[in-house]
Amino acid sequence: KGIGMVFLKKSLARKATFCMGTIFLVLICIISAASKVIVQSAFSRLEKDEVRTNIIRLKKSIDREIEGLAATCGDWAPWDDSRDFVLGKKPEYVSSNLTVECLTNIKVNFMVYVDNNGKIVHISSVDYTNKKQTPLSEKIIRDLYLYKKLFDLSDPTESIAGIVFLDGQPVIVAA
């Protein structure tokens, strides 16, 4: 009777220890899985918020660039000298106003002057980064004509600005 009781007590103690250990391991696994899900979803939410914030910043930055170019275009287009140049009355306009320094100072890569019939009168083009005069590629000129709205402004106060694709590259333009 004494040996059987001792064996039974040891067996019960082992079973209790085993059950407690198993419950402990199961609880650790559940807590670990739950915390992983909670942390991952929080990080995922943070990443999405950060991406959204960066996209909004990028959009605002691009909008500022478009507005700046539109303002520059709005300053240059109505000048009497610009009008007279397009009409053929001021040939010195190019050498006095469309220099590499001038174009890089106003932060543009090219200016295209168009008459009322949509015909290009003059193109000035620079490598803005290296501050050197460069020719505008024929592909870019052809691509420009695809954007008819740039050439079809009928009212002198009318303007248009935005992003177009020229030679496969996004370009901010204003007319």
Side-chain angles (χ1 to χ4, degrees), residues 23-56:
I23 290 171
F24 181 74
L25 286 175
V26 168
L27 287 175
I28 293 284
C29 290
I30 290 171
I31 290 170
S32 176
S35 65
K36 183 177 180 180
V37 167
I38 292 168
V39 169
Q40 279 183 337
S41 69
F43 276 119
S44 178
R45 206 171 32 254
L46 283 172
E47 284 178 349
K48 287 177 185 175
D49 289 345
E50 187 175 337
V51 167
R52 190 176 298 113
T53 299
N54 287 337
I55 288 171
I56 290 168

Side-chain angles (χ1 to χ4, degrees), residues 4 23-24 26 52 56 61 63 100 109 113-114 134 152 167 170 173:
I23 290 171
F24 181 74
V26 168
R52 190 176 298 113
I56 290 168
S61 176
D63 288 345
V100 171
N109 289 318
Y113 287 82
V114 180
T134 60
D152 290 340
D167 197 15
V173 297

Side-chain angles (χ1 to χ4, degrees), residues 120-136:
I120 293 178
V121 174
H122 179 78
I123 298 173
S124 286
S125 176
V126 296
D127 176 347
Y128 175 80
T129 308
N130 296 313
K131 298 183 179 183
K132 294 194 300 190
Q133 191 163 1
T134 60
L136 196 61

Side-chain angles (χ1 to χ4, degrees), residues 20-163:
M20 295 293 280
T22 304
I23 290 171
F24 181 74
L25 286 175
V26 168
L27 287 175
I28 293 284
C29 290
I30 290 171
I31 290 170
S32 176
S35 65
K36 183 177 180 180
V37 167
I38 292 168
V39 169
Q40 279 183 337
S41 69
F43 276 119
S44 178
R45 206 171 32 254
L46 283 172
E47 284 178 349
K48 287 177 185 175
D49 289 345
E50 187 175 337
V51 167
R52 190 176 298 113
T53 299
N54 287 337
I55 288 171
I56 290 168
R57 285 182 186 149
L58 176 63
K59 184 184 180 321
K60 286 181 179 179
S61 176
I62 291 170
D63 288 345
R64 279 192 302 274
E65 290 292 325
I66 291 170
E67 290 168 9
L69 184 60
T72 299
C73 185
D75 288 343
W76 280 63
W79 285 348
D80 292 346
D81 286 351
S82 296
R83 180 202 60 221
D84 291 344
F85 169 65
V86 171
L87 294 174
K89 298 178 184 176
K90 285 226 177 225
E92 71 279 2
Y93 181 86
V94 173
S95 61
S96 61
N97 294 298
L98 300 177
T99 62
V100 171
E101 294 79 19
C102 183
L103 294 179
T104 55
N105 187 45
I106 61 172
K107 299 178 182 176
V108 298
N109 289 318
F110 61 88
M111 279 188 150
V112 178
Y113 287 82
V114 180
D115 66 15
N116 287 338
N117 298 321
K119 180 182 174 246
I120 293 178
V121 174
H122 179 78
I123 298 173
S124 286
S125 176
V126 296
D127 176 347
Y128 175 80
T129 308
N130 296 313
K131 298 183 179 183
K132 294 194 300 190
Q133 191 163 1
T134 60
L136 196 61
S137 78
E138 291 296 321
K139 175 82 170 108
I140 289 176
I141 296 168
R142 280 193 311 272
D143 286 354
L144 266 174
Y145 276 113
L146 296 175
Y147 298 95
K148 300 244 184 259
K149 286 183 177 183
L150 294 171
F151 298 93
D152 290 340
L153 302 176
S154 55
D155 186 322
T157 61
E158 189 179 3
S159 66
I160 188 169
I163 299 174

